[in-house]
Amino acid sequence: QLVESGGGLVQAGGSLRLSCAASGDTFSSSGMGWFRQAPGKVREFVAIVNWSGSSTNYADPVKGRFTISRDNAGNTVYLQMNGLKPEDTAVYYCAAGTYYSSSLTFTPRYWGQGTQVTVSS
């Protein structure tokens, strides 16, 4: 089970940190990712991280502004979002799955329920 938290309303230029708490004993061996879906749009990749946190990949629109990290002892993955823009407004979803280090890609298997992030201009 994946449970996201930390979403909310923030002004443009502000910051938020999303958290995703995972239950189960496979978290530390799973790749993790953050995705988002804006109204009327398809769900899109935001950031992914491998099981140890040593390899990450980001979507171009968030590079340099967002940082994904994980705490395997606490079964939690984070998304630090700085320099937020109105176009970052979306429901953000956490996912667990397989991370492919050779291609820096990710196949999600399990999803959280999502947390709303709204950035006002």
Side-chain angles (χ1 to χ4, degrees), residues 36-59:
R36 67 187 181 186
Q37 187 168 16
K41 295 189 176 182
V42 299
R43 190 172 300 187
E44 63 179 6
F45 148 72
V46 174
I48 53 175
V49 62
N50 73 337
W51 68 275
S52 68
S54 63
S55 179
T56 60
N57 194 19
Y58 297 89

Side-chain angles (χ1 to χ4, degrees), residues 37-110:
Q37 187 168 16
K41 295 189 176 182
V42 299
R43 190 172 300 187
E44 63 179 6
F45 148 72
V46 174
I48 53 175
V49 62
N50 73 337
W51 68 275
S52 68
S54 63
S55 179
T56 60
N57 194 19
Y58 297 89
D60 286 343
V62 308
K63 281 182 180 177
R65 300 188 298 123
F66 291 10
T67 302
I68 188 170
S69 62
R70 64 189 297 162
D71 173 10
N72 284 345
N75 276 19
T76 303
V77 64
Y78 303 98
L79 184 68
Q80 178 67 44
M81 305 186 294
N82 299 327
L84 283 161
K85 305 175 181 180
E87 51 264 43
D88 294 319
T89 295
V91 177
Y92 283 70
Y93 297 90
C94 172
T98 303
Y99 182 98
Y100 301 94
S101 298
S102 58
S103 58
L104 300 182
T105 57
F106 177 82
T107 299
R109 295 184 61 193
Y110 304 103

